[in-house]
Amino acid sequence: GNTIAVNNTQTDTRTDAVKFAALNIYSFITVPFQNLGEWKYLFMVYNSKSRLWENDEIELIKEITTLIFPRLERAKAEADLQTSQERYKALVEASAQVVWTKDAEGNREEFQNWFAQTTGLSKDKFDEKEYLNFVHPDDREKLQNTLFRISKKTVPYQIEFRLLTKENTYGY
């Protein structure tokens, strides 16, 4: 799409004079914004009087367009990511399965409510180095070996182990 400048909607053959008059638009500039060849947005500046748009005004409006729309795209992407993260978290919290995420250094990325609900230990009392105290003694070595193996490569894994509950019993 190209930038279009119309100085008088009543005389310009590209416009419908009656419809623009009904909107009280007598001159305008439109600047399309494309992303990856797809038309995404249209920025329009209009005037309730006919007028001659100067080249520097047209260039300013184009420049504003190149600043505004990438920011809108980024804001939309961030909002979409936030929504996706909230949906993922809700799914994990509602699941009977436990999802435990760690960063590249092996540190837990987030504290999930399932751990507090199961063990009775709150987030502020949780110590990353002491989580093994909640794992059944017979399952600790298997869990440690699995965590060590996966720390060397980024692959999903599944492991079952018993966890000490707030009722002081072990359960899966």
Side-chain angles (χ1 to χ4, degrees):
N2 296 320
T3 299
I4 298 172
V6 173
N7 297 322
N8 187 334
T9 59
Q10 300 305 292
T11 60
D12 194 301
T13 58
R14 297 172 293 178
T15 64
D16 183 325
V18 174
K19 289 182 180 176
F20 276 101
L23 296 171
N24 199 31
I25 298 174
Y26 289 90
S27 61
F28 65 85
I29 299 173
T30 61
V31 181
F33 178 78
Q34 295 182 347
N35 187 359
L36 302 173
E38 182 180 343
W39 192 356
K40 294 285 190 172
Y41 304 101
L42 181 67
F43 188 70
M44 180 178 185
V45 175
Y46 70 91
N47 198 314
S48 59
K49 296 181 178 153
S50 61
R51 59 164 295 168
L52 178 63
W53 296 100
E54 301 292 335
N55 284 336
D56 60 336
E57 293 173 313
I58 295 169
E59 290 306 312
L60 177 61
I61 292 168
K62 285 180 178 180
E63 186 177 329
I64 290 169
T65 301
T66 62
L67 295 173
I68 291 173
F69 292 121
R71 289 183 182 168
L72 287 175
E73 292 269 298
R74 184 175 58 244
K76 183 180 178 333
E78 289 171 359
D80 290 348
L81 177 60
Q82 178 71 27
T83 299
S84 175
Q85 289 172 334
E86 289 168 2
R87 289 176 60 203
Y88 171 76
K89 185 174 182 174
L91 176 66
V92 168
E93 294 291 337
S95 172
Q97 300 296 311
V98 172
V99 177
W100 211 343
T101 57
K102 297 215 172 222
D103 64 18
E105 285 77 41
N107 301 311
R108 180 184 36 80
E109 288 188 324
E110 61 184 84
F111 183 87
Q112 295 170 331
N113 289 337
W114 66 264
F115 192 85
Q117 290 169 352
T118 303
T119 65
L121 189 68
S122 64
K123 179 179 183 175
D124 58 326
K125 301 280 187 203
F126 181 80
D127 182 349
E128 179 71 31
K129 295 172 181 58
E130 293 184 23
Y131 75 91
L132 279 177
N133 293 337
F134 291 90
V135 176
H136 190 282
D138 294 343
D139 297 337
R140 289 177 187 166
E141 185 176 345
K142 178 176 77 168
L143 176 61
Q144 284 180 303
N145 289 340
T146 301
L147 293 175
F148 178 76
R149 276 196 321 275
I150 64 153
S151 72
K152 301 300 177 194
K153 50 186 164 175
T154 54
V155 294
Y157 70 98
Q158 179 176 334
I159 185 171
E160 289 185 19
F161 57 90
R162 292 164 286 184
L163 198 59
L164 184 63
T165 68
K166 58 187 167 195
E167 290 82 22
N168 209 28
T169 61
Y170 286 97
Y172 283 97

